[in-house]
């Protein structure tokens, strides 16, 4: 089944899985996991790139830019001002207008600050960025971000790095039903079943990092996530059967031959 590419602004991607670059046991494992995931886009935290590495290498050097589109993110920012400056740095460093906007409001839960995210998004859109904002599973905030001109919205499934899966599927469904831009579930996916469930809700893509990087075997988990995203998407497009309270025989009794 082929339902076309994932379109975000002027960009197109064959894969509906976006992967991260943090928490891997080594750069070699990270590169192998990226390949196994089938992802076409990789997100990188700009504030965590060490430009003073003694070997002259940064995290960017371990991402094959001929194979992956880099999605810089503003992780670690706690105000609109910080996020805007970080996005501008990313544009200069990577020569891209893409940015995953993160403005954190609470250091313990890592939940986003909605007000500061809206402020930053408005400015970045006006500055010509293709903005993908990380936000709570709030249909109102997601619609406001879309109306500001964001190219997608990225509601959380659960707190960052928690692995709890989709905690509020009803909100995610409402967000998707009302959105005219891609909905990308971000944060909280812990295993392949979580990924499939999220995709079955109809979202356009998933972004995950810890669920892969912190697995016992990150490369195997990356491949599992690839298949789960594909299966979940196909199940959504196919349309699941109606749920029923009582049994409904898979072999109907009507017109049976009586012996």
């Amino acid at each position: 089944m082929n339902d076309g590419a994932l379109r975000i602004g002027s960009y197109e991607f064959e894969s509906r899985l976006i992967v991260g670059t943090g928490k891997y046991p080594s750069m070699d494992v990270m590169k192998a996991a990226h390949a196994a995931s089938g992802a076409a886009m990789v997100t990188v935290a700009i504030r965590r790139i060490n430009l003073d590495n003694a070997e002259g290498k940064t995290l960017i050097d371990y991402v094959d830019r001929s194979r992956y589109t880099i999605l810089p993110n503003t992780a670690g920012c706690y105000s609109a001002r910080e996020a805007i400056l970080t996005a501008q740095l990313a544009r200069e460093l990577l020569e891209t207008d893409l940015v995953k906007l993160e403005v954190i409001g609470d250091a313990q839960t890592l939940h986003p600050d909605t007000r500061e995210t809206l402020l930053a998004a408005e400015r970045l859109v006006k500055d010509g960025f293709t903005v993908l904002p990380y936000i709570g599973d709030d249909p109102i905030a997601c619609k406001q971000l879309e109306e500001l001109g964001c190219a997608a919205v990225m509601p959380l499934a659960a707190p960052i790095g928690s692995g709890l899966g989709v905690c509020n599927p009803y909100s995610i469904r409402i967000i998707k039903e009302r959105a005219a831009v891609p909905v990308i579930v971000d944060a909280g996916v812990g295993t392949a079943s979580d990924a499939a469930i999220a995709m079955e809700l109809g979202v356009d893509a998933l972004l995950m990092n810890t669920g892969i990087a912190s697995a016992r075997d990150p490369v195997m988990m990356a491949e599992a996530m690839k298949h789960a995203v594909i299966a979940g998407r196909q199940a959504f497009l196919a349309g699941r059967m109606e749920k029923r309270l009582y049994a409904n025989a898979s072999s109907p009794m009507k017109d049976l031959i009586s012996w």
Side-chain angles (χ1 to χ4, degrees), residues 90-107:
R91 181 162 60 182
E92 294 299 316
L93 179 65
L94 301 174
E95 298 181 336
T96 181
D97 67 327
L98 281 165
V99 64
K100 179 194 171 190
L101 174 62
E102 292 185 37
V103 187
I104 299 303
D106 179 77

Side-chain angles (χ1 to χ4, degrees), residues 3-258:
D3 67 318
L6 169 65
R7 293 178 175 82
I8 302 173
S10 62
Y11 296 85
E12 288 191 1
F13 304 97
E14 291 303 315
S15 173
R16 294 179 180 272
L17 175 59
I18 305 167
V19 294
T21 50
K23 300 183 179 180
Y24 284 94
S26 71
M27 290 299 178
D28 286 339
V29 171
M30 180 191 78
K31 290 166 66 177
H34 287 175
S37 74
M41 182 155 48
V42 173
T43 189
V44 175
I46 295 301
R47 289 170 66 91
R48 295 179 182 141
I49 295 176
N50 181 8
L51 299 176
D52 299 320
N53 187 289
E55 298 178 359
K57 283 189 172 184
T58 71
L59 179 58
I60 300 298
D61 295 303
Y62 295 94
V63 179
D64 184 355
R65 297 188 69 180
S66 67
R67 182 173 184 175
Y68 306 105
T69 297
I70 292 182
L71 173 63
N73 68 64
T74 63
C77 293
Y78 284 81
S79 70
R81 180 178 178 277
E82 283 183 316
I84 291 166
L85 290 174
T86 302
Q88 291 169 340
L89 173 63
R91 181 162 60 182
E92 294 299 316
L93 179 65
L94 301 174
E95 298 181 336
T96 181
D97 67 327
L98 281 165
V99 64
K100 179 194 171 190
L101 174 62
E102 292 185 37
V103 187
I104 299 303
D106 179 77
Q108 185 175 22
T109 65
L110 299 181
H111 277 221
D113 184 318
T114 300
R115 179 178 178 276
E116 293 292 302
T117 299
L118 288 165
L119 289 172
E122 183 173 19
R123 169 68 183 278
L124 291 171
V125 168
K126 287 180 179 177
D127 284 352
F129 283 88
T130 299
V131 182
L132 289 72
Y134 162 69
I135 195 66
D137 55 355
D138 178 355
I140 305 303
C142 286
K143 199 62 186 177
Q144 290 172 334
L145 287 163
E146 178 185 329
E147 290 169 350
L148 288 174
C150 291
V153 291
M154 304 182 74
L156 56 79
I160 292 173
S162 68
L164 292 172
V166 182
C167 290
N168 195 342
Y170 309 104
S171 287
I172 298 296
R173 284 181 60 185
I174 291 169
I175 290 167
K176 177 56 188 171
E177 285 177 5
R178 296 182 177 182
V181 296
V183 175
I184 304 169
V185 162
D186 180 16
V189 173
T191 191
S193 59
D194 297 336
I197 287 169
M199 293 303 295
E200 286 172 11
L201 293 172
V203 302
D204 299 277
L206 298 182
L207 188 151
M208 64 182 73
N209 182 73
T210 307
I212 295 174
S214 295
R216 188 166 56 248
D217 185 333
V219 179
M220 185 180 291
M221 182 61 81
E223 186 173 7
M225 293 296 194
K226 174 181 73 173
H227 294 307
V229 168
I230 293 170
R233 179 66 178 176
Q234 289 182 333
F236 168 73
L237 293 174
R240 66 158 292 140
M241 63 169 283
E242 179 186 354
K243 292 182 179 181
R244 300 183 178 93
L245 182 61
Y246 296 101
N248 185 30
S250 57
S251 298
M253 302 301 291
K254 185 180 178 182
D255 298 327
L256 286 180
I257 297 173
S258 178

